Amino acid sequence: MTTAAHRPATLEDVARLAGVSRSTASRVIAGTGFASPDARDRVATAAHRLGYVPNPAARALVSGAGVRLVVAVAGTSAAVLDDPYVHRVVGSAARVCTPAGVGVALHWLPLGEPTGLDQLARDRSVCGVVLVNTTEDLLDAIPRSLRGRVVSIGIGSPTVPSFDVDNTAGADAVLHHLYATGRRRIAMVTGPQWLPCSRRPVEAYRGLMRQAGLPERVLPGDFSAARGRAAAGEALRRWPDVDAIYAISDETALGVIAALSDEGVRVPSDVAVAGFDDIPLAAMTAPALTTASHPVGRIATAAATALLDGRPAAPVTLFPSVLVARASA
Amino acid sequence: MTTAAHRPATLEDVARLAGVSRSTASRVIAGTGFASPDARDRVATAAHRLGYVPNPAARALVSGAGVRLVVAVAGTSAAVLDDPYVHRVVGSAARVCTPAGVGVALHWLPLGEPTGLDQLARDRSVCGVVLVNTTEDLLDAIPRSLRGRVVSIGIGSPTVPSFDVDNTAGADAVLHHLYATGRRRIAMVTGPQWLPCSRRPVEAYRGLMRQAGLPERVLPGDFSAARGRAAAGEALRRWPDVDAIYAISDETALGVIAALSDEGVRVPSDVAVAGFDDIPLAAMTAPALTTASHPVGRIATAAATALLDGRPAAPVTLFPSVLVARASA
DNA sequence: CTGTTAGCGCCTTCAG
DNA sequence: CTGAAGGCGCTAACAG
């Protein structure tokens, strides 16, 4: 801790100063194996005085561990990597990986050609892969050698633990809220068709509409605000009596509200609008957005932690999605 | 590319299959040094057939390079690491670092005790540090051994290249817009006091107000939407004639608008509101937010790229901040 | 132009 | 309980 040595101390330096062998120093610093209290103490002191910081790269090399955790995002174009959702996942992952000496990498998995995973499987610096926007095809394409080192934020499989929000329950809660507050002409803006986890809310919607004897009005979406704007216009045109629009993303919902306002339609008196995610700004818009929460940070943290821990995770970890009733619906 | 070998191929395997030495294989794969067209070809073929992927950790170990790029964020609490702005920086950095086999780590630098940097300096797995929320104290505390491996998103120093948005010009543009559209009682909500780059807009504001003979009305802020809500109330109470509120963050501006709406104050007819950043949602709120753009992604990309390239960057790289006039002001 | 020779910093059997 | 020895996968001088 004293001198800012120009050449950072190595384990060798610590061992020499402590008057022990590298092996012993290694044991006490890694906290593995035996060491006498005396040795333990001298090594600790030496390490402290030298300001010794272990080199994760060397450590990984010898133990075959890997120094990078890869966030692999499926999508139609590399632009998915700029998505705020993806950034939240990467940020949260980086935060938990840092203390372990692991860095985070960000990969794009082009939809329909899942060979990208093969390369990751052969990269010995990769300690694990977090799949985002997981599809069935993707799960099928996971190389055997990656087994046990892959988790999914979204759907999983017998060999790939899933960390996900309870989409169905979240959608149900919002839809019930809409119904309970008197809405009967409810339109829905979906997520991307190819994304499994955006199908569940649609099923929930169709089920409830059918059950209540209400018309089904589905508009395809892509989670974007721009799509929300367009979808609102379509909804108004096709179904002038619409009294609620449920979007599967807060961004989209805000786009819907913006378009509605432009058209002179009032929210929520004329048309109620609800979203999904509860992004930080959802509480700050006018009107404040009614939505279901989606703890992205906690999910990503759990997924990354499972990988770092190494031991097999539960097949499915579901995070609750709770209704947040605000002004927009 | 053929077999998904259970044990990933090493350079040794490639060399053997190609019938050359490890060194030669290394040269053609790393693209460094000489190699006959023949050797080059055979190694390439072998590597391809084996699906060889170099191990960045081993490579870094021997070349002394480092496998992690650290995003180090100064702040009063570790909660800064959850900031959307920070996540954007990390995401963008991860994207450019990935092809280089470098992972991204995320560190919190507690304000006022800059010893965190010492530890980073001694970690041989760190190839570079991107400072976020840089303060003068932080710049002073950078260990010599880190020189040339640190860049700053924010203020810099003779030894630390700065990548930043042109705050002054951005603030000027917004303020002039406010003035040009007839606003004369302009209040401002600042960023955190300790953050150097949030001081420049304040100076711009004071300068312009003084020059125009208008009253100075400054409210301390912290970039948060919650603070925006509170600040709007204060502004209304202290200066009932206020006709514009300029916040140094879009989140804060949206908080201001929300509070104003709650109070029955109309935006922009009663009070104009402007922000700073142009976050994606700024165009989707009602009213759409007038702001100045802040290309966080490009800035972070440039900063990370400079570190990866290794060669000294320009002392200051300024990104333009352009006025985006929408409905709120 | 190519192969040989040394390690990078660390962990992990093994004898002692 | 401890030290000696070997090697993780790769690159960087060197001689040939």
Side-chain angles (χ1 to χ4, degrees), chain B residues 284-322:
Chain B
M284 290 300 148
T285 53
L289 193 64
T290 290
T291 187
S293 64
H294 190 164
V296 181
R298 288 199 300 138
I299 296 176
T301 300
T305 304
L307 248 22
L308 292 176
D309 285 355
R311 62 195 135 174
V316 176
T317 307
L318 229 44
F319 292 76
S321 173
V322 326

Side-chain angles (χ1 to χ4, degrees), chain B residues 88-138:
Chain B
R88 283 173 78 186
V89 172
V90 173
S92 304
R95 190 168 174 179
V96 277
C97 287
T98 296
V102 170
V104 174
L106 182 53
H107 267 268
W108 168 49
L109 261 21
L111 227 53
E113 39 171 309
T115 18
L117 285 173
D118 285 9
Q119 207 187 336
L120 293 180
R122 283 193 275 260
D123 186 334
R124 301 170 106 104
S125 76
V126 171
C127 68
V129 177
V130 176
L131 257 24
V132 176
N133 290 355
T134 316
T135 64
E136 284 89 353
D137 285 354
L138 213 49

Side-chain angles (χ1 to χ4, degrees), chain B residues 21-24 27 35-36 39 62 124:
Chain B
S21 71
R22 274 212 318 269
S23 320
T24 304
R27 283 186 209 106
S36 66
V62 61
R124 301 170 106 104

Side-chain angles (χ1 to χ4, degrees), chain A residues 21-24 27 35-36 62 124:
Chain A
S21 70
R22 277 212 314 270
S23 324
T24 304
R27 284 187 208 104
S36 66
V62 62
R124 302 171 105 103

Side-chain angles (χ1 to χ4, degrees), chain A residues 229-307:
Chain A
R229 291 199 87 112
E234 287 177 40
L236 251 25
R237 205 169 315 119
R238 292 174 56 182
W239 311 298
D241 64 340
V242 65
D243 63 3
I245 300 181
Y246 175 36
I248 271 318
S249 124
D250 283 353
E251 275 86 356
T252 304
L254 293 177
V256 167
I257 292 179
L260 256 24
S261 302
D262 288 353
E263 300 276 337
V265 177
R266 299 199 307 189
V267 179
S269 45
D270 297 332
V271 176
V273 177
F276 193 84
D277 268 5
D278 194 21
I279 59 175
L281 284 179
M284 289 300 147
T285 54
L289 193 64
T290 290
T291 186
S293 64
H294 189 166
V296 181
R298 288 199 299 138
I299 296 176
T301 300
T305 305
L307 248 22

